[in-house]
Amino acid sequence: MSLRASIEHSQVIDSAHQLKKQREKMVKFSKQFEAQLVPEWKDAFVDYWQLKKDLKKIHLLNINNNNNTATHNSSLSNTLFTSIKKFSLFGHQHREHELIHVHKKLASSASKGDMYETELLEQLADTDAAKEFFACLDLQLNKVNQFYQKKEKEFMDRGESLRKQMDILIELKTAFKQQRAKGGASAQDSKEEASISCTFSSEEDSVKDKTEQEQLQENSTDELEKTDEVAYAEGSISGELGKPIGMKSEDIGKQLRSVSSRSFSCQGKNLKINIPLTTPSRTFSAISYLVWEDLVNQSSKKCTSEGKLHINKTKLHHADKMIRGAFVELYKGLGYLKTYRNLNMLAFIKILKKFDKVTGKQVLPIYLKVVESSYFNSSDKVMNLADEVEELFIKHFADEDRRKAMKYLKPHHRKESHSVTFFIGLFTGCFIALFVGYVIMAHITGLYRRQSSSIYMETAYPILSMFSLLFLHFFLYGCNIFAWRKARYSYTQVQAIPGLLLLTFLLLLVCPFNIIYKSSRCRLLRVIRNIVLSPLYKVVMLDFFMADQLCSQVPMLRNLEYVACYYITGSYKTQDTGYCMRAKHYRDLAYAVSFLPYYWRAMQCARRWFDEGQTSHLVNLGKYVSAMLAAGTKVAYEKERSVGWLCLVVIMSTFATVYQLYWDFVKDWGLLQLNSKNPLLRNELMLRRKIIYYFSMGLNLILRLAWLQTVLHSSFGHVDYRVTGLFLAALEVIRRGLWNFYRLENEHLNNAGKFRAVKTVPLPFHEVDEQD
């Protein structure tokens, strides 16, 4: 091999190694870029992956051209000329201007900002791949500028509103302190909390105000919310609404909603205070207020009134809490916008560097100047607003303590440990091994064969199956979370073990000490409270999501009722296995338990319709009513097994199943869209393999039809009917675990489609015009 061939071979090897390293760096940055971007704004970020594809086309084209021409000029004159041109200042500038020229155009509307378009000059103009690359690059730059400008305006408007809110709150606090200082020693203060009296008028809201309020309610309901972040103050309001007693339900709903928004004049300003009905006390207060006003003022038909609005310390505390939550969300949004700017800037730099390496041209200095001077990188409004938010929060909500303020504005998230993965694998393996051993032993001993006297099945089986269903649901719920986030005892003592286990579980749930995930336990208790007291509490996604889980655990709830009866009545001591089944009140309560989850969910739908006024919630309510009717006919059929009741069960159950399947696929999962680019799916999919969605829909259909077994009462060989019931209940839990994944996926895609990365927190005070 000649010296020249050896040199060429070594250069080819070096270029191959460089290309490999370059690809590794690009892949590494792609993963970092995807991991750090804001998921809800993913479509608004630079499409780095498309730019990589265009760059790959250019690279393949260059390789083909090099192979065809096979030119390798190593003469001294050319080398000297190239070196002189490289180090010549004028030659370098001339070379830059020969490559591209970026034109800046004014957009048709001010909201779109400036538009950029790149013109390729002689050295790049004859390459179609380069034209595609720079066309895509210009498109990405214009997209980033427009989105940044839109979000910046949104956050600036929100910041201006919060400044006004803060001024009003400071004035009210000052007035409250002054009034309390004047009457601090009075006898009235010892009995009654000090308050500021403000005049108000209950005029009708403008169309704009109603639209804004409905939008705020929609945004705050559709997203996951912390119950302690947003609180509303109810006012002790006296006045008249001017409506007679004989009102329709829609009019009552409108009046109840209007109670939450009252105009008043305080400290020389005409203001409006919002009091949404988010707790039972506020709901009952509003209803009693309407009833009282109708009884006292039946003859009044005026649309405006004058009265007194008392703002006491409690109400100021609620308003303070609302504004604090709004500041936290605004600061979070500004942080997202900073991340958006930095990541996009880094993406432009990376892709331009790769372009220079692939083509051997010097485009980076030219185009980077344009990117640096573009709006998304040159505007400093977000930085200034973030600094102002920090100062206001430190001053008014953290007692001048910056560290305390940062705990709210930048909360530290707990780092996940590998021990979680380890224990999941350990417990899963132990469960499988124990379950297989249990099945083998049960088969050998003939445990589940039909027997005339089956004391074990009558006593222990409902208890054990209750825990089995509960922990199976926990396991599948844990699998959901993982996908979303990547001794010996005597015979008498055995009877008390399940009861002690349940008691321990309940005591641990209500344990007041800060141990074993106290925050999660408190959140669970609050969610359970909101579900049980539906529709008195405002419904957020976490509430109805957990209520749907209970709808799949009706057998577990009935077994839980049996466990409570078994231990409370002392049946575990007397071994009276049939007492709970003989007691009429127990049977009636069992039927009520079967209806409760569907009732709670239906009431949540009714509350969402009341708050948001959307008829889709009433349609969803009908789904749960159909489920209750199907369950009711089944209960009646179990009491009187006649052909008529059997036909009614089949009809109602079929109707409910079709209703539920439609809602699963179309509403909850967002699938079965006829005009989608993915047949019978939605346009945006998070899973790469489409076959998974089709398989999941088919599996959901099969699992929804499991109710047929409860109607036909067919048996699997000599298997006890309780085992069959447990098997069917487990199928429903598995179906719910499958439903959970796609329901949350659809929720995320809806938020991403509307670029909703932060919550829109309703504010307590609104300034209105005199004519309003």
Side-chain angles (χ1 to χ4, degrees), residues 7 73 96 352 371 382 396 415 447 630 635 655 732-733 769:
I7 294 175
N73 193 347
E96 284 187 358
L352 289 171
V371 177
V382 171
H396 298 287
K415 295 182 179 179
L447 185 63
V635 169
F655 174 75
E732 172 59 21
V733 172
D769 298 331

Side-chain angles (χ1 to χ4, degrees), residues 52-245:
K52 280 174 57 179
K53 291 179 182 179
D54 295 341
L55 196 57
K56 188 176 181 180
K57 294 179 182 178
I58 298 175
H59 176 67
L60 294 176
L61 184 62
N62 289 341
I63 292 177
N64 294 332
N65 292 335
N66 291 335
N67 291 336
N68 293 333
T69 57
T71 57
H72 181 73
N73 193 347
S74 59
S75 63
L76 180 62
S77 58
N78 286 340
T79 304
L80 181 62
F81 175 76
T82 304
S83 302
I84 293 174
K85 185 177 181 180
K86 181 177 180 180
F87 290 103
S88 172
L89 179 62
F90 298 101
H92 185 62
Q93 290 180 349
H94 179 69
R95 182 184 178 186
E96 284 187 358
H97 289 290
E98 285 182 345
L99 296 175
I100 62 172
H101 182 71
V102 184
H103 299 280
K104 182 178 180 181
K105 300 179 180 180
L106 293 177
S108 57
S109 60
S111 60
K112 292 186 176 180
D114 298 327
M115 306 291 290
Y116 296 92
E117 184 177 352
T118 302
E119 178 187 0
L120 304 186
L121 301 181
E122 295 179 3
Q123 296 187 24
L124 294 174
D126 57 345
T127 306
D128 292 337
K131 291 180 181 178
E132 292 181 8
F133 175 80
F134 280 100
C136 183
L137 195 65
D138 294 337
L139 179 66
Q140 300 305 315
L141 179 58
N142 294 329
K143 178 182 71 174
V144 169
N145 277 321
Q146 292 173 12
F147 182 81
Y148 186 89
Q149 190 172 1
K150 176 184 175 182
K151 281 297 174 182
E152 182 188 71
K153 183 180 183 303
E154 177 185 330
F155 289 136
M156 294 301 295
D157 293 342
R158 197 179 299 186
E160 182 63 28
S161 299
L162 276 175
R163 291 190 196 98
K164 295 178 181 179
Q165 295 285 314
M166 201 69 237
D167 293 339
I168 297 171
L169 182 64
I170 292 173
E171 289 186 25
L172 290 176
K173 282 185 175 181
T174 303
F176 178 81
K177 291 180 180 178
Q178 291 176 353
Q179 185 162 342
R180 189 165 187 174
K182 291 179 181 178
S186 64
Q188 184 178 359
D189 266 349
S190 61
K191 298 180 180 178
E192 197 175 295
E193 190 177 12
S195 63
I196 315 169
S197 296
C198 307
T199 61
F200 73 91
S201 61
S202 62
E203 297 180 356
E204 291 291 331
D205 299 336
S206 64
V207 175
K208 180 180 178 182
D209 291 334
K210 289 183 178 179
T211 304
E212 291 178 353
Q213 181 66 20
E214 290 175 357
Q215 184 66 29
L216 289 175
Q217 291 179 352
E218 178 183 356
N219 292 342
S220 61
T221 301
D222 288 343
E223 301 173 11
L224 290 172
E225 295 186 20
K226 295 182 179 179
T227 36
D228 58 348
E229 279 187 355
V230 182
Y232 301 91
E234 69 274 20
S236 54
I237 304 172
S238 61
E240 63 181 44
L241 291 174
K243 295 286 184 180
I245 290 181

